[in-house]
Amino acid sequence: MAQAMKIAIVDDEQDMRQSISQWLALSGFDTETFPSAEEALKSVGQDYPGVIISDIRMPGMDGMQFLKKLMSVDSSLPVIMITGHGDVPMAVEAMRVGAYDFLEKPFNPDRMTELAKKATQVRRMTLDARALRRELGDGGTIMKKLVGASPVMERLREDILDLGQADGHVLIDGETGTGKTLVAHALHAVGAKAGRKFVVVRLAGQDEEALGAKLFGPIEEGGQQPFVEQARGGTLVLEDIEALPMSLQARLLAWMNDQGTPPETRVVAICNLQEGGRTCEDCLRPDLFYRLAQMKITLPPLRARGEDILMLFTRFGDQFAEEYGCAAPAVSAQEAAQLLQAPWPGNIRQLINIAERAVLQSRRGSGTISSLLMNDHDDVEGATMTTEGKPLKEYVEAFERMLIDNTMRRHKGSIVGVMDELCLPRRTLNEKMAKYGLQRSDYI
Ligand SMILES: Nc1ncnc2c1ncn2[C@@H]1O[C@H](COP(=O)(O)OP(=O)(O)OP(=O)(O)O)[C@@H](O)[C@H]1O
Ligand SMILES: [Mg+2]
């Protein structure tokens, strides 16, 4: 075996851990053992170079919770669950959540080795593909449209590339304006169906009967082909899937069941999450939900993206400034803090809107970003003080980067000017610029 893949064995019973570990070590695997899910999570994360074998019944965090946690960290990590005799429903549930496979007690050692071998091969392929993609950069232009360097955005890019290449249906959910439609495009563009049909259908606010005919037929004389036909062989995007009436849910499911595996047409269902409202799972019949949610992408709200907020604001500010032929608005330190802490109920769409208005204001030479934010949400003071569990350090760093970036802009790259204004010694300023990837030459 080239550089052995690891196998993490998680079981609260020491005898069990050891016997599995010994057996697999004899078969040439590099094993490590953990007495609890909590312990394992300290070592096993995204890009873990191996696979996990975990017991389901454990005190503290049990195997199912552990599995869900792992899937949220790295959805392609193979996890093999150990189930006791008669745990069939649990095994089924585990598979639904994303387990790679399960092993029933008492073990058949050969099956265990076989599974471990297959799972590690799959893992190696995933990691190799990831490494290759990282080397090649993100490729497609559409991926470049996705601005953001926060950990959630990095994960989103990985997910798009992983799921894009898979064949199955995908469910995307998230609040309004978080980029769901953009991500649906990206999934199509990076996947095997790129270049084939890409058909977007809005399901909300339509008459049930008319919608049924538009989706599945029959077509009226001289009318358009039904959407499922238009999308054949490509991607069918169903916007606002939560609005699909029950009768049409049944038809959609029946149509999907006729698609074969892998499906001829890929469905990307988009669900709009209202704050505190019902989720997609509440609105869809369970069989349809599970069918769609085998692969799921949840877009984080803008307020959970930390420093990306400033990056997006700067990016769109520059873009509009170019469009309107004027300078990008200067963002004061206080305004940067307000941008970071605003609740952003309209997410990225709202941010784009504010960036555009800020550019227009600064062209007129009046108004501030603060006033735009205030007008957008009157309760800005009360609503902004939450930090949503983000570390203070993240705020401080994003803020510092923004402040230096802005001051450099205003001083057109004059180091002395910036040192003076920010009361920073030259060395500290240089260090901070290096840390944040800011280059003087960009401001001259
Ligand atoms: N990460 C991102 N980087 C840059 N622009 C983005 C990003 N995500 C979304 N956008 C832009 O934000 C706007 C809103 O995105 P999009 O329409 O995809 O959101 P949505 O979640 O589908 O919204 P809705 O719920 O209203 O359908 C678009 O102009 C899109 O190009
Ligand atoms: Mg949309």
Side-chain angles (χ1 to χ4, degrees):
M1 229 181 284
Q3 187 222 333
M5 281 267 137
K6 284 189 180 172
I7 299 203
I9 299 149
V10 187
D11 199 317
D12 55 310
E13 286 169 55
Q14 196 188 0
D15 291 350
M16 191 59 94
R17 278 200 305 275
Q18 271 175 358
S19 64
I20 299 177
S21 169
Q22 275 164 12
W23 176 259
L24 289 173
L26 279 176
S27 313
F29 291 101
D30 179 10
T31 60
E32 52 182 343
T33 58
F34 301 94
S36 68
E38 287 86 347
E39 279 304 311
L41 283 171
K42 290 181 192 160
S43 308
V44 177
Q46 203 194 359
D47 292 333
Y48 178 69
V51 306
I52 321 285
I53 297 182
S54 171
D55 195 9
I56 287 199
R57 293 178 194 275
M58 293 187 285
M61 182 186 281
D62 70 16
M64 286 304 293
Q65 290 169 298
F66 180 44
L67 174 64
K68 285 180 188 159
K69 180 84 197 157
L70 289 171
M71 290 297 98
S72 73
V73 175
D74 183 343
S75 57
S76 19
L77 185 63
V79 183
I80 298 166
M81 306 300 296
I82 304 172
T83 57
H85 189 66
D87 277 344
V88 178
M90 235 191 257
V92 172
E93 172 69 3
M95 296 300 286
R96 187 183 74 73
V97 172
Y100 178 77
D101 211 328
F102 57 90
L103 270 171
E104 225 175 328
K105 279 190 264 193
F107 303 123
N108 169 343
D110 293 329
R111 172 163 151 77
M112 183 158 74
T113 317
E114 196 50 39
L115 257 185
K117 211 181 261 170
K118 275 203 306 202
T120 48
Q121 274 167 4
V122 167
R123 184 60 174 164
R124 183 181 294 284
M125 275 163 52
T126 308
L127 293 181
D128 285 353
R130 268 185 202 169
L132 183 67
R133 281 198 309 257
R134 284 196 185 117
E135 268 172 38
L136 293 175
D138 53 15
T141 26
I142 196 144
M143 294 298 283
K144 294 209 182 93
K145 272 184 94 173
L146 287 169
V147 176
S150 59
V152 282
M153 279 304 293
E154 290 295 344
R155 259 237 350 257
L156 178 64
R157 282 198 192 86
E158 291 287 343
D159 282 351
I160 292 173
L161 292 169
D162 283 343
L163 300 191
Q165 258 127 55
D167 296 307
H169 308 301
V170 182
L171 180 67
I172 302 175
D173 63 5
E175 290 176 20
T176 182
T178 46
K180 299 183 295 297
T181 304
L182 184 60
V183 168
H185 272 274
L187 278 172
H188 179 76
V190 303
K193 301 207 186 293
R196 308 249 188 100
K197 305 281 186 45
F198 181 77
V199 177
V200 182
V201 187
R202 281 208 160 276
L203 304 178
Q206 302 223 37
D207 172 69
E208 182 166 342
E209 208 172 312
L211 180 61
K214 278 192 221 165
L215 277 171
F216 306 106
I219 39 172
E220 288 172 28
E221 278 248 343
Q224 277 192 325
Q225 274 196 321
F227 288 120
V228 293
E229 279 307 316
Q230 291 180 33
R232 185 189 281 271
T235 304
L236 176 65
V237 180
L238 300 175
E239 295 255 19
D240 306 317
I241 188 81
E242 71 279 6
L244 191 65
M246 275 298 162
S247 69
L248 296 181
Q249 291 189 22
R251 268 179 96 177
L252 176 61
L253 188 65
W255 172 77
M256 285 169 71
N257 285 338
D258 280 345
Q259 288 281 302
T261 15
E264 185 186 12
T265 307
R266 167 182 250 188
V267 175
V268 176
I270 295 184
C271 173
N272 236 314
L273 292 179
Q274 253 97 41
E275 216 172 321
R278 302 200 313 155
T279 65
C280 201
E281 192 162 7
D282 303 326
C283 305
L284 296 183
R285 43 186 287 169
D287 43 8
L288 179 61
F289 175 77
Y290 292 130
R291 208 47 210 284
L292 289 169
Q294 275 165 9
M295 300 200 267
K296 185 157 177 267
I297 294 183
T298 297
L299 290 183
L302 184 58
R303 59 187 173 279
R305 298 192 201 182
E307 78 267 23
D308 283 359
I309 296 173
L310 297 180
M311 197 187 273
L312 280 157
F313 192 82
T314 310
R315 183 74 67 94
F316 283 107
D318 288 348
Q319 224 161 286
F320 285 117
E322 200 179 310
E323 201 172 302
Y324 291 112
C326 59
V331 182
S332 73
Q334 196 199 359
E335 287 167 337
Q338 283 171 343
L339 287 171
L340 278 171
Q341 296 194 331
W344 298 114
N347 293 293
I348 302 178
R349 183 173 300 110
Q350 183 190 7
L351 177 139
I352 296 174
N353 184 279
I354 291 206
E356 181 169 14
R357 281 150 62 197
V359 168
L360 290 172
Q361 267 187 358
S362 87
R363 192 170 67 158
R364 276 201 314 271
S366 70
T368 59
I369 294 168
S370 314
S371 63
L372 290 174
L373 280 171
M374 292 287 193
N375 289 341
D376 249 37
H377 8 82
D378 300 334
D379 54 346
V380 82
E381 292 301 333
T384 52
M385 293 323 289
T386 79
T387 53
E388 294 243 332
K390 269 177 284 176
L392 179 63
K393 190 162 165 281
E394 201 179 292
Y395 273 114
V396 173
E397 288 183 349
F399 180 64
E400 197 172 63
R401 182 186 189 284
M402 181 85 194
L403 195 58
I404 297 174
D405 180 43
N406 274 305
T407 318
M408 282 296 280
R409 246 173 229 261
R410 263 183 290 110
H411 289 272
K412 301 198 166 45
S414 153
I415 294 284
V416 177
V418 177
M419 284 165 53
D420 270 0
E421 182 170 334
L422 298 180
C423 302
L424 279 180
R426 184 183 293 267
R427 205 172 127 201
T428 315
L429 178 60
N430 284 342
E431 279 168 7
K432 290 197 186 294
M433 287 183 60
K435 172 173 168 193
Y436 298 126
L438 301 174
Q439 274 166 10
R440 180 170 170 257
S441 54
D442 291 340
Y443 299 95
I444 300 170

PDB file of all heavy atoms in Angstrom, residues 316-347:
ATOM      1  N   PHE A 316     -17.754  44.607  -4.487  1.00  0.00           N
ATOM      2  CA  PHE A 316     -18.882  45.201  -5.211  1.00  0.00           C
ATOM      3  C   PHE A 316     -18.752  46.720  -5.286  1.00  0.00           C
ATOM      4  O   PHE A 316     -19.138  47.324  -6.288  1.00  0.00           O
ATOM      5  CB  PHE A 316     -20.212  44.769  -4.592  1.00  0.00           C
ATOM      6  CG  PHE A 316     -20.577  43.360  -4.969  1.00  0.00           C
ATOM      7  CD1 PHE A 316     -20.484  42.329  -4.038  1.00  0.00           C
ATOM      8  CD2 PHE A 316     -20.966  43.062  -6.262  1.00  0.00           C
ATOM      9  CE1 PHE A 316     -20.790  41.020  -4.398  1.00  0.00           C
ATOM     10  CE2 PHE A 316     -21.275  41.757  -6.630  1.00  0.00           C
ATOM     11  CZ  PHE A 316     -21.185  40.735  -5.701  1.00  0.00           C
ATOM     12  N   GLY A 317     -18.194  47.320  -4.220  1.00  0.00           N
ATOM     13  CA  GLY A 317     -17.958  48.769  -4.255  1.00  0.00           C
ATOM     14  C   GLY A 317     -17.062  49.118  -5.441  1.00  0.00           C
ATOM     15  O   GLY A 317     -17.364  50.023  -6.227  1.00  0.00           O
ATOM     16  N   ASP A 318     -15.981  48.363  -5.612  1.00  0.00           N
ATOM     17  CA  ASP A 318     -15.059  48.610  -6.732  1.00  0.00           C
ATOM     18  C   ASP A 318     -15.763  48.425  -8.067  1.00  0.00           C
ATOM     19  O   ASP A 318     -15.585  49.199  -9.003  1.00  0.00           O
ATOM     20  CB  ASP A 318     -13.858  47.653  -6.662  1.00  0.00           C
ATOM     21  CG  ASP A 318     -12.913  48.013  -5.529  1.00  0.00           C
ATOM     22  OD1 ASP A 318     -13.070  49.118  -4.964  1.00  0.00           O
ATOM     23  OD2 ASP A 318     -12.031  47.193  -5.199  1.00  0.00           O
ATOM     24  N   GLN A 319     -16.571  47.360  -8.128  1.00  0.00           N
ATOM     25  CA  GLN A 319     -17.262  47.051  -9.375  1.00  0.00           C
ATOM     26  C   GLN A 319     -18.210  48.189  -9.786  1.00  0.00           C
ATOM     27  O   GLN A 319     -18.197  48.631 -10.923  1.00  0.00           O
ATOM     28  CB  GLN A 319     -18.081  45.778  -9.165  1.00  0.00           C
ATOM     29  CG  GLN A 319     -17.995  44.786 -10.294  1.00  0.00           C
ATOM     30  CD  GLN A 319     -18.442  43.420  -9.790  1.00  0.00           C
ATOM     31  OE1 GLN A 319     -17.726  42.746  -9.051  1.00  0.00           O
ATOM     32  NE2 GLN A 319     -19.648  43.031 -10.152  1.00  0.00           N
ATOM     33  N   PHE A 320     -19.001  48.658  -8.822  1.00  0.00           N
ATOM     34  CA  PHE A 320     -19.945  49.742  -9.145  1.00  0.00           C
ATOM     35  C   PHE A 320     -19.193  51.040  -9.427  1.00  0.00           C
ATOM     36  O   PHE A 320     -19.602  51.821 -10.284  1.00  0.00           O
ATOM     37  CB  PHE A 320     -20.951  49.939  -8.009  1.00  0.00           C
ATOM     38  CG  PHE A 320     -21.997  48.862  -7.973  1.00  0.00           C
ATOM     39  CD1 PHE A 320     -22.116  48.010  -6.888  1.00  0.00           C
ATOM     40  CD2 PHE A 320     -22.866  48.701  -9.050  1.00  0.00           C
ATOM     41  CE1 PHE A 320     -23.068  47.022  -6.860  1.00  0.00           C
ATOM     42  CE2 PHE A 320     -23.832  47.697  -9.035  1.00  0.00           C
ATOM     43  CZ  PHE A 320     -23.930  46.854  -7.930  1.00  0.00           C
ATOM     44  N   ALA A 321     -18.099  51.261  -8.700  1.00  0.00           N
ATOM     45  CA  ALA A 321     -17.326  52.483  -8.924  1.00  0.00           C
ATOM     46  C   ALA A 321     -16.850  52.511 -10.370  1.00  0.00           C
ATOM     47  O   ALA A 321     -16.912  53.540 -11.047  1.00  0.00           O
ATOM     48  CB  ALA A 321     -16.145  52.538  -7.961  1.00  0.00           C
ATOM     49  N   GLU A 322     -16.424  51.344 -10.857  1.00  0.00           N
ATOM     50  CA  GLU A 322     -15.954  51.290 -12.230  1.00  0.00           C
ATOM     51  C   GLU A 322     -17.118  51.544 -13.197  1.00  0.00           C
ATOM     52  O   GLU A 322     -16.994  52.303 -14.157  1.00  0.00           O
ATOM     53  CB  GLU A 322     -15.340  49.911 -12.493  1.00  0.00           C
ATOM     54  CG  GLU A 322     -14.412  49.918 -13.686  1.00  0.00           C
ATOM     55  CD  GLU A 322     -13.798  48.542 -13.904  1.00  0.00           C
ATOM     56  OE1 GLU A 322     -13.275  47.982 -12.919  1.00  0.00           O
ATOM     57  OE2 GLU A 322     -13.880  48.050 -15.033  1.00  0.00           O
ATOM     58  N   GLU A 323     -18.240  50.908 -12.869  1.00  0.00           N
ATOM     59  CA  GLU A 323     -19.423  51.069 -13.721  1.00  0.00           C
ATOM     60  C   GLU A 323     -19.862  52.519 -13.813  1.00  0.00           C
ATOM     61  O   GLU A 323     -20.213  53.011 -14.880  1.00  0.00           O
ATOM     62  CB  GLU A 323     -20.542  50.222 -13.106  1.00  0.00           C
ATOM     63  CG  GLU A 323     -21.639  49.850 -14.057  1.00  0.00           C
ATOM     64  CD  GLU A 323     -22.575  48.859 -13.373  1.00  0.00           C
ATOM     65  OE1 GLU A 323     -22.109  47.770 -12.934  1.00  0.00           O
ATOM     66  OE2 GLU A 323     -23.755  49.198 -13.241  1.00  0.00           O
ATOM     67  N   TYR A 324     -19.855  53.212 -12.657  1.00  0.00           N
ATOM     68  CA  TYR A 324     -20.331  54.592 -12.642  1.00  0.00           C
ATOM     69  C   TYR A 324     -19.211  55.597 -12.872  1.00  0.00           C
ATOM     70  O   TYR A 324     -19.433  56.804 -12.804  1.00  0.00           O
ATOM     71  CB  TYR A 324     -21.024  54.905 -11.305  1.00  0.00           C
ATOM     72  CG  TYR A 324     -22.330  54.174 -11.141  1.00  0.00           C
ATOM     73  CD1 TYR A 324     -22.471  53.164 -10.194  1.00  0.00           C
ATOM     74  CD2 TYR A 324     -23.428  54.490 -11.940  1.00  0.00           C
ATOM     75  CE1 TYR A 324     -23.671  52.484 -10.049  1.00  0.00           C
ATOM     76  CE2 TYR A 324     -24.629  53.811 -11.804  1.00  0.00           C
ATOM     77  CZ  TYR A 324     -24.746  52.812 -10.859  1.00  0.00           C
ATOM     78  OH  TYR A 324     -25.932  52.147 -10.718  1.00  0.00           O
ATOM     79  N   GLY A 325     -18.003  55.086 -13.080  1.00  0.00           N
ATOM     80  CA  GLY A 325     -16.886  55.977 -13.376  1.00  0.00           C
ATOM     81  C   GLY A 325     -16.548  56.928 -12.253  1.00  0.00           C
ATOM     82  O   GLY A 325     -16.383  58.128 -12.464  1.00  0.00           O
ATOM     83  N   CYS A 326     -16.487  56.415 -11.032  1.00  0.00           N
ATOM     84  CA  CYS A 326     -16.083  57.275  -9.927  1.00  0.00           C
ATOM     85  C   CYS A 326     -15.262  56.456  -8.937  1.00  0.00           C
ATOM     86  O   CYS A 326     -15.042  55.270  -9.162  1.00  0.00           O
ATOM     87  CB  CYS A 326     -17.306  57.872  -9.235  1.00  0.00           C
ATOM     88  SG  CYS A 326     -18.409  56.615  -8.595  1.00  0.00           S
ATOM     89  N   ALA A 327     -14.824  57.117  -7.855  1.00  0.00           N
ATOM     90  CA  ALA A 327     -13.990  56.405  -6.889  1.00  0.00           C
ATOM     91  C   ALA A 327     -14.846  55.513  -6.001  1.00  0.00           C
ATOM     92  O   ALA A 327     -16.005  55.831  -5.736  1.00  0.00           O
ATOM     93  CB  ALA A 327     -13.233  57.410  -6.029  1.00  0.00           C
ATOM     94  N   ALA A 328     -14.271  54.400  -5.566  1.00  0.00           N
ATOM     95  CA  ALA A 328     -14.978  53.539  -4.622  1.00  0.00           C
ATOM     96  C   ALA A 328     -15.127  54.287  -3.304  1.00  0.00           C
ATOM     97  O   ALA A 328     -14.254  55.061  -2.935  1.00  0.00           O
ATOM     98  CB  ALA A 328     -14.213  52.246  -4.419  1.00  0.00           C
ATOM     99  N   PRO A 329     -16.242  54.098  -2.598  1.00  0.00           N
ATOM    100  CA  PRO A 329     -16.436  54.846  -1.357  1.00  0.00           C
ATOM    101  C   PRO A 329     -15.415  54.429  -0.299  1.00  0.00           C
ATOM    102  O   PRO A 329     -15.091  53.252  -0.190  1.00  0.00           O
ATOM    103  CB  PRO A 329     -17.851  54.440  -0.929  1.00  0.00           C
ATOM    104  CG  PRO A 329     -18.116  53.143  -1.608  1.00  0.00           C
ATOM    105  CD  PRO A 329     -17.319  53.151  -2.870  1.00  0.00           C
ATOM    106  N   ALA A 330     -14.938  55.432   0.430  1.00  0.00           N
ATOM    107  CA  ALA A 330     -14.036  55.112   1.532  1.00  0.00           C
ATOM    108  C   ALA A 330     -14.882  54.622   2.694  1.00  0.00           C
ATOM    109  O   ALA A 330     -15.935  55.173   2.976  1.00  0.00           O
ATOM    110  CB  ALA A 330     -13.266  56.363   1.930  1.00  0.00           C
ATOM    111  N   VAL A 331     -14.430  53.576   3.329  1.00  0.00           N
ATOM    112  CA  VAL A 331     -15.180  53.022   4.452  1.00  0.00           C
ATOM    113  C   VAL A 331     -14.432  53.379   5.727  1.00  0.00           C
ATOM    114  O   VAL A 331     -13.273  53.015   5.889  1.00  0.00           O
ATOM    115  CB  VAL A 331     -15.289  51.490   4.324  1.00  0.00           C
ATOM    116  CG1 VAL A 331     -16.115  50.922   5.457  1.00  0.00           C
ATOM    117  CG2 VAL A 331     -15.883  51.104   2.979  1.00  0.00           C
ATOM    118  N   SER A 332     -15.089  54.109   6.608  1.00  0.00           N
ATOM    119  CA  SER A 332     -14.413  54.466   7.856  1.00  0.00           C
ATOM    120  C   SER A 332     -14.373  53.249   8.773  1.00  0.00           C
ATOM    121  O   SER A 332     -15.101  52.274   8.560  1.00  0.00           O
ATOM    122  CB  SER A 332     -15.160  55.599   8.559  1.00  0.00           C
ATOM    123  OG  SER A 332     -16.361  55.081   9.114  1.00  0.00           O
ATOM    124  N   ALA A 333     -13.532  53.341   9.776  1.00  0.00           N
ATOM    125  CA  ALA A 333     -13.388  52.239  10.720  1.00  0.00           C
ATOM    126  C   ALA A 333     -14.731  51.907  11.358  1.00  0.00           C
ATOM    127  O   ALA A 333     -15.118  50.748  11.498  1.00  0.00           O
ATOM    128  CB  ALA A 333     -12.383  52.614  11.794  1.00  0.00           C
ATOM    129  N   GLN A 334     -15.439  52.972  11.680  1.00  0.00           N
ATOM    130  CA  GLN A 334     -16.723  52.758  12.349  1.00  0.00           C
ATOM    131  C   GLN A 334     -17.716  52.076  11.405  1.00  0.00           C
ATOM    132  O   GLN A 334     -18.465  51.185  11.799  1.00  0.00           O
ATOM    133  CB  GLN A 334     -17.256  54.112  12.796  1.00  0.00           C
ATOM    134  CG  GLN A 334     -18.357  53.988  13.802  1.00  0.00           C
ATOM    135  CD  GLN A 334     -19.158  55.267  13.887  1.00  0.00           C
ATOM    136  OE1 GLN A 334     -18.860  56.256  13.198  1.00  0.00           O
ATOM    137  NE2 GLN A 334     -20.181  55.248  14.725  1.00  0.00           N
ATOM    138  N   GLU A 335     -17.667  52.492  10.155  1.00  0.00           N
ATOM    139  CA  GLU A 335     -18.580  51.887   9.185  1.00  0.00           C
ATOM    140  C   GLU A 335     -18.238  50.414   8.938  1.00  0.00           C
ATOM    141  O   GLU A 335     -19.122  49.577   8.779  1.00  0.00           O
ATOM    142  CB  GLU A 335     -18.549  52.672   7.876  1.00  0.00           C
ATOM    143  CG  GLU A 335     -19.264  53.999   7.996  1.00  0.00           C
ATOM    144  CD  GLU A 335     -18.974  54.923   6.825  1.00  0.00           C
ATOM    145  OE1 GLU A 335     -17.939  54.772   6.159  1.00  0.00           O
ATOM    146  OE2 GLU A 335     -19.795  55.810   6.576  1.00  0.00           O
ATOM    147  N   ALA A 336     -16.946  50.134   8.922  1.00  0.00           N
ATOM    148  CA  ALA A 336     -16.540  48.737   8.737  1.00  0.00           C
ATOM    149  C   ALA A 336     -17.111  47.885   9.860  1.00  0.00           C
ATOM    150  O   ALA A 336     -17.635  46.794   9.637  1.00  0.00           O
ATOM    151  CB  ALA A 336     -15.019  48.633   8.712  1.00  0.00           C
ATOM    152  N   ALA A 337     -17.030  48.422  11.072  1.00  0.00           N
ATOM    153  CA  ALA A 337     -17.570  47.678  12.211  1.00  0.00           C
ATOM    154  C   ALA A 337     -19.071  47.482  12.057  1.00  0.00           C
ATOM    155  O   ALA A 337     -19.613  46.417  12.346  1.00  0.00           O
ATOM    156  CB  ALA A 337     -17.267  48.433  13.507  1.00  0.00           C
ATOM    157  N   GLN A 338     -19.742  48.515  11.550  1.00  0.00           N
ATOM    158  CA  GLN A 338     -21.196  48.395  11.363  1.00  0.00           C
ATOM    159  C   GLN A 338     -21.540  47.375  10.280  1.00  0.00           C
ATOM    160  O   GLN A 338     -22.476  46.606  10.428  1.00  0.00           O
ATOM    161  CB  GLN A 338     -21.793  49.750  11.017  1.00  0.00           C
ATOM    162  CG  GLN A 338     -21.909  50.640  12.245  1.00  0.00           C
ATOM    163  CD  GLN A 338     -22.291  52.056  11.886  1.00  0.00           C
ATOM    164  OE1 GLN A 338     -22.178  52.465  10.730  1.00  0.00           O
ATOM    165  NE2 GLN A 338     -22.735  52.800  12.874  1.00  0.00           N
ATOM    166  N   LEU A 339     -20.757  47.369   9.218  1.00  0.00           N
ATOM    167  CA  LEU A 339     -21.003  46.378   8.161  1.00  0.00           C
ATOM    168  C   LEU A 339     -20.859  44.967   8.722  1.00  0.00           C
ATOM    169  O   LEU A 339     -21.645  44.076   8.432  1.00  0.00           O
ATOM    170  CB  LEU A 339     -20.013  46.566   7.005  1.00  0.00           C
ATOM    171  CG  LEU A 339     -20.232  47.779   6.101  1.00  0.00           C
ATOM    172  CD1 LEU A 339     -19.047  47.949   5.157  1.00  0.00           C
ATOM    173  CD2 LEU A 339     -21.521  47.629   5.298  1.00  0.00           C
ATOM    174  N   LEU A 340     -19.823  44.792   9.542  1.00  0.00           N
ATOM    175  CA  LEU A 340     -19.568  43.468  10.105  1.00  0.00           C
ATOM    176  C   LEU A 340     -20.670  43.010  11.041  1.00  0.00           C
ATOM    177  O   LEU A 340     -20.915  41.826  11.187  1.00  0.00           O
ATOM    178  CB  LEU A 340     -18.247  43.480  10.879  1.00  0.00           C
ATOM    179  CG  LEU A 340     -16.988  43.310  10.052  1.00  0.00           C
ATOM    180  CD1 LEU A 340     -15.764  43.573  10.901  1.00  0.00           C
ATOM    181  CD2 LEU A 340     -16.929  41.907   9.468  1.00  0.00           C
ATOM    182  N   GLN A 341     -21.289  43.975  11.704  1.00  0.00           N
ATOM    183  CA  GLN A 341     -22.249  43.588  12.729  1.00  0.00           C
ATOM    184  C   GLN A 341     -23.698  43.709  12.299  1.00  0.00           C
ATOM    185  O   GLN A 341     -24.591  43.327  13.037  1.00  0.00           O
ATOM    186  CB  GLN A 341     -22.026  44.424  13.982  1.00  0.00           C
ATOM    187  CG  GLN A 341     -20.663  44.137  14.589  1.00  0.00           C
ATOM    188  CD  GLN A 341     -20.543  44.677  15.982  1.00  0.00           C
ATOM    189  OE1 GLN A 341     -21.181  45.662  16.318  1.00  0.00           O
ATOM    190  NE2 GLN A 341     -19.739  44.045  16.787  1.00  0.00           N
ATOM    191  N   ALA A 342     -23.933  44.218  11.106  1.00  0.00           N
ATOM    192  CA  ALA A 342     -25.324  44.368  10.652  1.00  0.00           C
ATOM    193  C   ALA A 342     -25.979  42.996  10.535  1.00  0.00           C
ATOM    194  O   ALA A 342     -25.298  42.005  10.292  1.00  0.00           O
ATOM    195  CB  ALA A 342     -25.353  45.098   9.320  1.00  0.00           C
ATOM    196  N   PRO A 343     -27.294  42.919  10.718  1.00  0.00           N
ATOM    197  CA  PRO A 343     -27.959  41.609  10.686  1.00  0.00           C
ATOM    198  C   PRO A 343     -28.145  41.047   9.271  1.00  0.00           C
ATOM    199  O   PRO A 343     -28.338  39.849   9.101  1.00  0.00           O
ATOM    200  CB  PRO A 343     -29.316  41.884  11.336  1.00  0.00           C
ATOM    201  CG  PRO A 343     -29.548  43.343  11.189  1.00  0.00           C
ATOM    202  CD  PRO A 343     -28.198  44.005  11.157  1.00  0.00           C
ATOM    203  N   TRP A 344     -28.111  41.882   8.250  1.00  0.00           N
ATOM    204  CA  TRP A 344     -28.201  41.460   6.848  1.00  0.00           C
ATOM    205  C   TRP A 344     -29.338  40.476   6.560  1.00  0.00           C
ATOM    206  O   TRP A 344     -29.088  39.378   6.048  1.00  0.00           O
ATOM    207  CB  TRP A 344     -26.872  40.822   6.389  1.00  0.00           C
ATOM    208  CG  TRP A 344     -25.698  41.737   6.428  1.00  0.00           C
ATOM    209  CD1 TRP A 344     -24.608  41.625   7.246  1.00  0.00           C
ATOM    210  CD2 TRP A 344     -25.468  42.910   5.621  1.00  0.00           C
ATOM    211  NE1 TRP A 344     -23.724  42.654   7.001  1.00  0.00           N
ATOM    212  CE2 TRP A 344     -24.236  43.455   6.014  1.00  0.00           C
ATOM    213  CE3 TRP A 344     -26.214  43.553   4.615  1.00  0.00           C
ATOM    214  CZ2 TRP A 344     -23.709  44.609   5.449  1.00  0.00           C
ATOM    215  CZ3 TRP A 344     -25.686  44.697   4.046  1.00  0.00           C
ATOM    216  CH2 TRP A 344     -24.448  45.210   4.465  1.00  0.00           C
ATOM    217  N   PRO A 345     -30.563  40.868   6.851  1.00  0.00           N
ATOM    218  CA  PRO A 345     -31.666  39.935   6.561  1.00  0.00           C
ATOM    219  C   PRO A 345     -31.787  39.626   5.066  1.00  0.00           C
ATOM    220  O   PRO A 345     -32.267  38.567   4.691  1.00  0.00           O
ATOM    221  CB  PRO A 345     -32.903  40.663   7.088  1.00  0.00           C
ATOM    222  CG  PRO A 345     -32.510  42.101   7.150  1.00  0.00           C
ATOM    223  CD  PRO A 345     -31.040  42.124   7.442  1.00  0.00           C
ATOM    224  N   GLY A 346     -31.344  40.549   4.200  1.00  0.00           N
ATOM    225  CA  GLY A 346     -31.429  40.285   2.753  1.00  0.00           C
ATOM    226  C   GLY A 346     -30.130  39.720   2.199  1.00  0.00           C
ATOM    227  O   GLY A 346     -29.961  39.589   0.990  1.00  0.00           O
ATOM    228  N   ASN A 347     -29.203  39.433   3.101  1.00  0.00           N
ATOM    229  CA  ASN A 347     -27.946  38.761   2.770  1.00  0.00           C
ATOM    230  C   ASN A 347     -27.175  39.442   1.638  1.00  0.00           C
ATOM    231  O   ASN A 347     -27.095  40.666   1.613  1.00  0.00           O
ATOM    232  CB  ASN A 347     -28.210  37.279   2.522  1.00  0.00           C
ATOM    233  CG  ASN A 347     -28.644  36.598   3.805  1.00  0.00           C
ATOM    234  OD1 ASN A 347     -27.845  36.494   4.725  1.00  0.00           O
ATOM    235  ND2 ASN A 347     -29.899  36.194   3.904  1.00  0.00           N
TER     236      ASN A 347
END
